[in-house]
Amino acid sequence: MTIVEIVDAHQGFKLVTDNISTRNPRTLLWVIGFVTFFLSSILDNLTSTIVMVSLLRKLVPPSEYRKLLGAVVVISANAGGAWTPIGDVTTTMLWIHGQITTLNTMQGLFLPSVVSLAVPLALMSLTSEANGSSQKSSSLLSSEQMAPRGQLVFAVGLGALVFVPVFKALTGLPPFMGMMLGLAILWILTDAIHYGDSGRQRLKVPQALSRIDTQGVLFFLGILMSVGSLESAGILRQLANYLDANIPNADLIASAIGVASAIIDNVPLVAATMGMYDLTSFPQDADFWQLVAFCAGTGGSMLIIGSAAGVAFMGMEKVDFFWYFRKVSGFALAGYAAGIITYLAAQNLPLSLPTSLAEIPFISGS
């Protein structure tokens, strides 16, 4: 959170947003979607939503079309956060506790995440709102200047975030140590860049620490402690036994968790699932854990209150619950279902690639 705050204070994300030049409404719909998708895979989905909705305010005048683009940002942010261990709080939790690993998760969930975004985008492209105007307000865009060495801070901050899974794989140390190392490097860098300039205090780490969402951190801490107490009392184990007896298919359980995450925050749902099923029930990188990561991440898109990204969009654009439900929920549900089908198909179809040139018929001469 602090690294992202530092990059944002330096206007580092302008490197991404300033390169969006298309003004075709349907093309812009897809560009916004996939820029947010990949941005959210490195940042958290809340930050990605705030950055992209702020951009939309400068690109598109207030209209139904801008609301639709904002909804695309929500779906894209949730889909993008599902396929990397640092893209969403729930995937990070599963990764830290050993349920999933970095490469297997990225390989297994990338295609379903893309499908869960592409399907809503394709359906939204057919709506009348997708023909809206997107006139650029150049005066607003030019009024925000990047801070000194903003490009360097953006590169180092992004590198620090991406480095965390590599750090864990190379050293075997907990991921938080890699994140602290990245923050320390960024701290030294920003102090060196802005040394002796009292007017740039807001660009330094101590000021960034005062601006991060500490209440959100304490909220997650409270959730995890509550779930931990339920696990210690054996209640989660009893719930797991009940689900196993009544829903014998693990894929249905994971899918139901995603649907529930549209109403209930996905963090307690995933934390409870981790308490219900340990690694003896489902080993590391089992289909169940990957499907939980995908469903909990993307299921929240079905309602505007189902994810932090949706709540942020609702507050920033004053979008009400029923507008989102009427205009977007059906598209998000279609993407969610298509993503699950894609994942199950990829895992169950007997697809095997040739392991050597000799196995390829026209090369081996057979």
Side-chain angles (χ1 to χ4, degrees), residues 45-46 49-50 53 70 74 78 261-263 265 300-301 303-321 324:
N45 51 8
L46 176 60
T49 301
I50 293 172
V53 171
V74 173
N78 289 331
S261 73
I263 304 170
D265 189 87
S301 300
L303 294 178
I304 197 170
I305 59 171
S307 65
V311 173
F313 168 56
M314 183 167 59
M316 293 177 73
E317 288 293 289
K318 302 298 183 287
V319 175
D320 64 76
F321 175 88
Y324 190 94

Side-chain angles (χ1 to χ4, degrees), residues 106-120 251 255 287 290-291 294-295 298 333-351:
M106 293 174 70
Q107 290 172 356
L109 296 184
F110 177 73
L111 184 58
S113 296
V114 170
V115 170
S116 72
L117 170 61
V119 168
D251 295 336
S255 301
D287 290 354
Q290 292 199 354
L291 201 56
F294 172 78
C295 293
T298 58
L333 176 60
Y336 175 74
I340 293 175
I341 293 170
T342 301
Y343 178 79
L344 295 177
Q347 297 302 312
N348 295 318
L349 288 178
L351 298 175

Side-chain angles (χ1 to χ4, degrees), residues 176-216:
F176 83 88
M177 295 184 70
M179 194 67 79
M180 291 296 105
L181 175 61
L183 178 59
I185 293 171
L186 195 62
W187 194 325
I188 294 169
L189 176 67
T190 52
D191 273 14
I193 291 173
H194 307 301
Y195 178 76
D197 192 332
S198 58
R200 298 183 189 169
Q201 292 301 313
R202 67 179 187 84
L203 302 176
K204 296 183 179 180
V205 172
Q207 286 292 318
L209 283 167
S210 68
R211 295 194 298 269
I212 65 171
D213 183 18
T214 310
Q215 292 181 347

Side-chain angles (χ1 to χ4, degrees), residues 92-268:
T92 302
M93 287 165 52
L94 291 166
W95 176 54
I96 288 175
H97 288 86
Q99 276 82 3
I100 59 175
T101 58
T102 303
L103 289 180
N104 286 329
T105 300
M106 293 174 70
Q107 290 172 356
L109 296 184
F110 177 73
L111 184 58
S113 296
V114 170
V115 170
S116 72
L117 170 61
V119 168
L121 287 180
L123 295 174
M124 287 179 178
S125 298
L126 303 175
T127 62
S128 58
E129 288 88 348
N131 293 312
S133 171
S134 58
Q135 295 301 313
K136 179 176 177 179
S137 175
S138 58
S139 61
L140 280 173
L141 283 170
S142 62
S143 65
E144 294 183 357
Q145 297 298 321
M146 188 177 291
R149 301 291 191 277
Q151 294 184 5
L152 177 62
V153 172
F154 174 78
V156 173
L158 211 62
L161 294 171
V162 175
F163 173 69
V164 175
V166 179
F167 174 87
K168 183 178 185 292
L170 291 177
T171 65
L173 295 172
F176 83 88
M177 295 184 70
M179 194 67 79
M180 291 296 105
L181 175 61
L183 178 59
I185 293 171
L186 195 62
W187 194 325
I188 294 169
L189 176 67
T190 52
D191 273 14
I193 291 173
H194 307 301
Y195 178 76
D197 192 332
S198 58
R200 298 183 189 169
Q201 292 301 313
R202 67 179 187 84
L203 302 176
K204 296 183 179 180
V205 172
Q207 286 292 318
L209 283 167
S210 68
R211 295 194 298 269
I212 65 171
D213 183 18
T214 310
Q215 292 181 347
V217 176
L218 294 175
F219 170 72
F220 291 132
L221 176 63
I223 286 174
L224 296 176
M225 290 178 67
S226 301
V227 171
S229 65
L230 293 174
E231 182 181 359
S232 299
I235 295 174
L236 294 183
R237 186 68 258 174
Q238 293 175 16
L239 180 58
N241 293 335
Y242 175 81
L243 289 175
D244 288 339
N246 292 275
I247 311 177
N249 190 317
D251 295 336
L252 287 177
I253 294 175
S255 301
I257 289 170
V259 174
S261 73
I263 304 170
I264 306 170
D265 189 87
N266 57 2
V267 173

